[in-house]
Amino acid sequence: MTAPFRVCFVCTGNICRSPMAESVFRARLAEAGLDGLVEVDSAGTGGWHEGDGADPRTVAVLRAGGYENAHTARQFHASWFDRLDLVIALDSGHLRELRRLAPTPQDAAKVRLLRTYGTGAATGATDDLDVPDPYYGGFEGFEECLEMVEEASEGLLAAIRAALPAPTVVTARGADHDNRRTAREQHRPQEKESA
């Protein structure tokens, strides 16, 4: 049996953006029938949140979108490059840090920015491809991040599908995907008013 294709999403503390990207992409793989061929995880460039769960706002946005999330934060280590096929940075700062951390030029080439797989990048709109850190903002920032992650995940899925050894049997995307945005809007938690 062929070894699985391994992808790791990386943000700063591994409690907001990268666990969101991991959950969304895991769902995309399952919908495409590729979950047995691709392994997905996430990590942070820093280790100060190691052992923590995802930020409650990340969990709420994922739940509202119909995504599953069981997460424990951890820090990315240079030794992981050897076993990974693709390292997905959530913003340009992570991209630079991960490429500096890479032991070889081949490992540095494995690091890509998530939104380069989105439609904006495909049309040449590459001014700002960062997924912004929502940590210090409100719930809307987490929703915005989820939309960016969802949009880029389609292109990432296509790129990984093309990199997998043929023949790969792919099933059609499930109806769950089409209903996620509606479900998210119906189940959006209300932010507490400031006292």
Side-chain angles (χ1 to χ4, degrees), residues 9-23:
F9 293 95
V10 182
C11 69
T12 306
N14 194 215
I15 61 168
C16 297
R17 293 169 286 176
S18 58
M20 189 181 292
E22 177 185 356
S23 293

Side-chain angles (χ1 to χ4, degrees), residues 139-168:
F139 194 80
E140 293 81 11
F142 286 80
E143 291 181 315
E144 179 185 2
C145 285
L146 181 60
E147 289 174 8
M148 291 178 179
V149 166
E150 287 176 326
E151 192 269 331
S153 290
E154 297 299 325
L156 177 58
L157 179 64
I160 290 177
R161 182 185 288 132
L164 293 173
T168 300

Side-chain angles (χ1 to χ4, degrees), residues 169-182:
V169 177
V170 179
T171 59
R173 181 169 47 184
D176 288 346
H177 173 75
D178 298 328
N179 296 324
R180 282 204 173 96
R181 181 163 294 169
T182 302

Side-chain angles (χ1 to χ4, degrees), residues 41-64:
D41 63 8
S42 65
T45 55
W48 51 91
H49 288 295
E50 277 192 298
D52 294 346
D55 185 287
R57 295 164 293 180
T58 295
V59 174
V61 165
L62 288 170
R63 187 175 294 130

Side-chain angles (χ1 to χ4, degrees), residues 39-117:
E39 290 181 2
V40 183
D41 63 8
S42 65
T45 55
W48 51 91
H49 288 295
E50 277 192 298
D52 294 346
D55 185 287
R57 295 164 293 180
T58 295
V59 174
V61 165
L62 288 170
R63 187 175 294 130
Y67 297 103
E68 295 180 13
N69 178 263
H71 179 71
T72 303
R74 59 200 188 128
Q75 183 175 5
F76 188 90
H77 296 280
S79 61
W80 295 5
F81 276 105
D82 190 47
R83 65 176 175 83
L84 292 168
D85 296 290
L86 201 51
V87 180
I88 302 295
L90 274 289
D91 71 28
S92 54
H94 306 131
L95 181 77
R96 287 188 300 273
E97 191 167 343
L98 289 163
R99 286 185 173 163
R100 279 195 305 266
L101 190 62
T104 69
Q106 293 79 12
D107 289 327
K110 295 177 183 180
V111 184
R112 306 285 173 78
L113 195 58
L114 176 62
R115 290 188 65 207
T116 60
Y117 294 97

